[in-house]
Amino acid sequence: MSDTRRRVKVYTLNEDRQWDDRGTGHVSSTFVERLKGISLLVRAESDGSLLLESKISPNTAYQKQQDTLIVWSEAENYDLALSFQEKAGCDEIWEKICQVQGKDPALEITQDPIDESEEERFEEMPETSHLVELPPCELARLEEIADLVTSVLSSPIRREKLALALMSEGYMKKLLQLFQVCEDLDNREGLHHLYEIVRGVLFLNKAALFEVMFSDDCIMDVVGCLEYDPALVQPKRHREFLTKTAKFKEVIPITDSELRQKIHQTYRVQYIQDIILPTPSVFEENFLSTLTSFIFFNKVEIVSMLQEDEKFLTEVFAQLTDEATEDGKRRELVNFFKEFCAFSQTLQPQNRDAFFKTLANLGILPALEIVMGMDDLQVRAAATDIFSYLVEFSPSMVREFVMQEPQQTDDDVLLINVVIKQMICDSDPELGGAVQLMGLLRTLIDPENMLTPTNKTEKTEFLSFFYKYCMQVLTAPLLANTVDEKKSKALQEGSTKINPVCPGALRFMRRIIGQKDEYYNRYIIKGNLFEPVINTLLDNGTRYNLLNSAIIELFEFIKVEDVKSLIAHIIDNYYKALESIEYVQTFKGLKGRYEQEKDRQTLRLNRSVRYRRDARTLDEDEEMWFHEDEDDDEGEAVEKSRPEEEFPESYGKYMEAKKVKESDDKENFPTQTPTGSFKFTFSHSAGAANGANGKPAASHAASTAMVGLVDYPDDEDEEEEDEEQSPRKRPRLGS
């Protein structure tokens, strides 16, 4: 069993001042020959790879925070942190770092950070000036204390010394006790000084001070001090909001007191950062980085503790899906999960992966399927937010669940159909929920999101599923608005008014054809979907309007792009109805394309036949020659008409001619293309084969007698195109 004391997570601080998780492993301290010193090594627990190799530098400032964190900087913009699973492991590595640097392990920081401007002065300081001397913690000295705190913020070394002084002898707790005295006496001047003091202490950016200030005993007094901003006429009422307005609701009782305390603390500290403290200036923006880290690691710990408490989460899911649960209770449960998922967004990808897998294993998707179909608008909105977190995290996970549903339930209650119905039936006049659901649906059916290496068939399987079980739900409103009842009635009354929704359906079909995907083209052909388009064109008559232009453009696109399968389908089935349209050349052009393709197919067929005939020519000639040779031998015995010395000369001439013929045949040997037809290659030039002008010879009979094959330069491009097409997508046109 691995040593959990040394189990750590490695974090680096990115450009946005957020911590990135680099992985989980086990830390050790050992001498590394290449680095010439004792170094911290972290090897991944998954595969043993090296996550971190960092030499313990004598001059690097290491900080110990929250009993389980060690933070340091290795370069100007490269901060690192080790988060230990156990305090004992953190203490052990901290002692090793202090041993290398010759520091006291009781300190929370091993070095005083110094900027270059103060380095010389610091070297001249006597060792007795280790701490800043603080005035006595008395009401009469609050102004002096405030001036001291605000004066050190521009000096890194003085900030460090002041922080050490404040942490000694419980000075911060004494200051907060003075706050209670000032408030009882309504001493506004003292309260204003305390505001400056507490704000300045927060900007010291010290985790050890935060541990004191944000403890249960002190945090509300800290909030109270920050209410008395001297720039305000009346103090804010932040404590009233935190204690009365913002109430903590336990949807399921939390038995872990440490977890409950951590949740309270995190909420209040987040409130201090986001609401109470003013937006920091450029000078101050880096002063609160430790506060951000404090909140971040608290959230990581909360999510981890909740995630590991399977009994708690199982009970939440059980009540969420129980029909007997009251509406108010269910609303609280859904809101809890919404906040839970929002907390998870602070996690790094590896942590989020484990988090959402835990929720999936506990049944979050079946639960969402139930609550998203409820009438309560607040419940549905919160459930939609949770669903968006899941889709954003892993569309494949959602698709996998959805494809398993038809085996267990009816089509009407499939999760994806519930999403479609909520999108269609959104009661919000601004369609806010519909737009959100539309984006989620688009993500789920986007083929570009279905190219995961682990499941190469996901695209085919999910799209087939979607067309079978969901497409009719998605298109139901479109079909309802394009029924022919109104149009038929109008025509019966002598009107030729076109259904106003027809252009919307036409644009949809144009977009599909624009994909140039044979899968869609075969679907269009199978359903005879051009019939209503052509009928609409004919019904429109000679009117030159937007509908007419849109339909003509559709057929023009098919002609220009030479979509062979659609051209063949249109000409074979609808040309008689279209040939009378002469105000554009589109349909004659389609007919021309169709005839060209038929000619090419016929030519390829003829070539194939001629090749098979010429392949037999050599065998017949050889057999005839040998028969003639036998006849000559018999005749020679009787008549002696041919002298024997002439035979070698005749044989040599024949063999020479035979070699020439074999060479020609080899050059003209065909190669079979993927489509099953043959492609012929010639070593001689096109001009030699086809005549001086490069065109086919006039006499096909002559060329057939001599060679049997004719190469047409005009067809070379077409043959190359045919070779690029797969056998599945190549159109088959009738001759």
Side-chain angles (χ1 to χ4, degrees), residues 181-338:
V181 174
C182 287
E183 197 166 44
D184 290 340
L185 298 174
D186 195 21
N187 184 348
R188 288 302 178 94
E189 184 179 0
L191 291 170
H192 289 164
H193 291 320
L194 282 167
Y195 169 87
E196 298 291 348
I197 293 169
V198 170
R199 180 176 178 275
V201 171
L202 288 174
F203 283 159
L204 292 179
N205 212 22
K206 287 297 164 188
L209 287 173
F210 293 163
E211 292 287 350
V212 176
M213 298 171 71
F214 300 150
S215 64
D216 287 345
D217 297 336
C218 300
I219 189 167
M220 296 310 292
D221 289 334
V222 170
V223 173
C225 290
L226 294 172
E227 290 178 352
Y228 291 93
D229 185 348
L232 300 176
V233 177
Q234 293 294 328
K236 295 287 187 179
R237 296 182 176 181
H238 297 301
R239 285 172 294 173
E240 181 179 337
F241 175 83
L242 290 172
T243 56
K244 297 180 180 179
T245 307
K247 293 188 177 295
F248 177 64
K249 296 181 180 179
E250 296 184 45
V251 291
I252 301 293
I254 297 176
T255 57
D256 189 337
S257 59
E258 182 183 356
L259 173 59
R260 189 187 301 108
Q261 185 273 335
K262 189 72 68 176
I263 293 173
H264 285 306
Q265 183 188 61
T266 304
Y267 176 79
R268 291 164 179 167
V269 176
Q270 186 87 61
Y271 183 86
I272 290 173
Q273 184 186 48
D274 295 343
I275 305 300
I276 300 179
L277 290 177
T279 303
S281 63
V282 176
F283 173 71
E284 299 168 336
E285 63 182 0
N286 292 327
F287 286 177
L288 296 175
S289 60
T290 303
L291 182 61
T292 302
S293 299
F294 184 94
I295 297 170
F296 170 81
F297 288 112
N298 264 18
K299 289 182 177 180
V300 171
E301 194 170 350
I302 290 169
V303 173
S304 299
M305 294 171 76
L306 284 172
Q307 184 178 330
E308 292 167 2
D309 192 345
E310 292 190 8
K311 183 178 179 181
F312 174 83
L313 290 178
T314 302
E315 181 63 23
V316 172
F317 276 110
Q319 292 197 25
L320 185 64
T321 56
D322 188 353
E323 294 182 359
T325 303
E326 296 179 356
D327 291 343
K329 181 70 171 179
R330 182 176 282 108
R331 191 180 302 119
E332 292 177 358
L333 290 165
V334 175
N335 285 328
F336 162 76
F337 265 115
K338 177 184 174 182

Side-chain angles (χ1 to χ4, degrees), residues 99-130:
Q99 179 184 344
V100 172
Q101 293 195 341
K103 302 293 182 179
D104 183 1
L107 296 175
E108 298 289 334
I109 184 170
T110 62
Q111 301 285 334
D112 291 328
I114 308 166
D115 54 9
E116 296 177 0
S117 62
E118 295 191 353
E119 189 169 357
E120 292 184 5
R121 280 192 294 145
F122 179 68
E123 290 178 352
E124 297 173 359
M125 287 182 182
E127 294 184 3
T128 54
S129 63
H130 182 65

Side-chain angles (χ1 to χ4, degrees), residues 518 522 525 563-570 572-573 594 597-598 601 604 673-677 722 725-735:
E518 282 300 310
R522 288 195 297 271
I525 292 170
V563 186
K564 294 180 174 60
S565 58
L566 296 183
I567 291 174
H569 173 70
I570 293 167
D572 286 340
N573 294 278
Y594 175 79
E597 183 61 24
K598 282 186 64 176
Q601 294 289 343
R604 293 190 189 99
T673 66
T675 60
S677 61
D722 291 341
Q725 293 184 15
S726 65
R728 178 176 63 82
K729 291 188 176 182
R730 183 171 180 174
R732 299 179 180 272
L733 301 180
S735 58

Side-chain angles (χ1 to χ4, degrees), residues 63 70 97 114 167 240 268 277 304 313 467 633 647 703:
Q63 271 188 297
I70 296 178
I97 293 172
I114 308 166
M167 286 186 286
E240 181 179 337
R268 291 164 179 167
L277 290 177
S304 299
L313 290 178
Y467 280 112
D633 289 344
F647 176 76
S703 62

Side-chain angles (χ1 to χ4, degrees), residues 49 67 138 146 172 202 373 410 423 484 536 563 627 656 713 726:
S49 60
D67 293 332
E138 300 173 355
M172 277 306 304
L202 288 174
D410 297 330
M423 178 184 71
D484 292 332
T536 301
V563 186
H627 282 307
E656 183 176 355
S726 65

Side-chain angles (χ1 to χ4, degrees), residues 512-513 516-526 563 565-566:
I512 292 175
I513 293 175
K516 294 189 286 188
D517 189 327
E518 282 300 310
Y519 182 89
Y520 292 125
N521 293 344
R522 288 195 297 271
Y523 192 88
I524 290 171
I525 292 170
K526 181 180 178 182
V563 186
S565 58
L566 296 183

Side-chain angles (χ1 to χ4, degrees), residues 440-712:
L440 298 175
L441 186 63
R442 180 183 296 172
T443 300
L444 288 174
I445 64 176
D446 183 2
E448 297 299 322
N449 286 332
M450 303 179 196
L451 304 177
T452 56
T454 55
N455 185 3
K456 297 185 182 299
T457 62
E458 181 184 21
K459 179 178 178 180
T460 302
E461 291 177 354
F462 183 77
L463 290 179
S464 298
F465 163 87
F466 187 82
Y467 280 112
K468 182 176 181 181
Y469 295 102
C470 309
M471 181 58 80
Q472 69 273 17
V473 181
L474 180 62
T475 57
L478 182 65
L479 297 176
N481 286 321
T482 55
V483 291
D484 292 332
E485 294 178 0
K486 293 183 179 179
K487 179 182 174 183
S488 300
K489 184 177 179 181
L491 289 175
Q492 290 174 2
E493 295 174 355
S495 171
T496 58
K497 184 178 180 181
I498 301 299
N499 190 326
V501 187
C502 184
L506 185 65
R507 282 196 296 268
F508 180 64
M509 187 171 182
R510 173 63 176 83
R511 180 65 64 89
I512 292 175
I513 293 175
Q515 299 298 312
K516 294 189 286 188
D517 189 327
E518 282 300 310
Y519 182 89
Y520 292 125
N521 293 344
R522 288 195 297 271
Y523 192 88
I524 290 171
I525 292 170
K526 181 180 178 182
N528 289 323
L529 301 184
F530 275 106
E531 183 174 339
V533 176
I534 292 172
N535 287 338
T536 301
L537 176 64
L538 298 175
D539 291 340
N540 191 56
T542 59
R543 289 188 295 276
Y544 182 68
N545 51 24
L546 184 62
L547 179 62
N548 176 273
S549 298
I551 296 177
I552 295 298
E553 191 278 334
L554 171 67
F555 288 105
E556 186 69 23
F557 174 83
I558 295 171
K559 184 193 76 172
V560 172
E561 295 295 327
D562 196 18
V563 186
K564 294 180 174 60
S565 58
L566 296 183
I567 291 174
H569 173 70
I570 293 167
I571 299 301
D572 286 340
N573 294 278
Y574 308 111
Y575 187 68
K576 288 184 178 180
L578 297 170
E579 63 180 344
S580 62
I581 299 177
E582 297 182 346
Y583 57 88
V584 291
Q585 298 300 309
T586 301
F587 300 106
K588 288 186 177 180
L590 285 172
K591 179 69 171 177
R593 291 275 191 182
Y594 175 79
E595 296 295 343
Q596 288 176 4
E597 183 61 24
K598 282 186 64 176
D599 291 343
R600 292 189 184 108
Q601 294 289 343
T602 303
L603 179 61
R604 293 190 189 99
L605 180 63
N606 291 339
R607 288 180 177 178
S608 170
V609 172
R610 283 202 297 258
Y611 164 72
R612 287 196 294 270
R613 182 183 62 193
D614 293 340
R616 293 192 299 267
T617 303
L618 178 60
D619 295 336
E620 293 172 356
D621 289 346
E622 287 184 343
E623 185 176 356
M624 185 181 297
W625 186 87
F626 282 112
H627 282 307
E628 290 175 354
D629 185 48
E630 291 174 359
D631 293 341
D632 289 345
D633 289 344
E634 292 175 358
E636 184 181 3
V638 178
E639 300 176 3
K640 298 290 184 180
S641 63
R642 178 180 291 179
E644 285 186 9
E645 60 269 19
E646 292 181 3
F647 176 76
E649 182 179 356
S650 300
Y651 178 77
K653 290 180 179 179
Y654 173 79
M655 292 304 295
E656 183 176 355
K658 182 174 181 291
K659 288 179 181 178
V660 171
K661 183 173 182 58
E662 287 178 344
S663 176
D664 289 341
D665 288 341
K666 183 176 295 185
E667 290 178 352
N668 298 341
F669 196 80
T671 57
Q672 189 167 7
T673 66
T675 60
S677 61
F678 291 88
K679 178 180 178 181
F680 300 89
T681 56
F682 292 82
S683 61
H684 45 278
S685 66
N690 301 329
N693 60 358
K695 297 182 179 179
S699 174
H700 286 281
S703 62
T704 302
M706 297 298 296
V707 181
L709 300 173
V710 179
D711 186 30
Y712 292 88

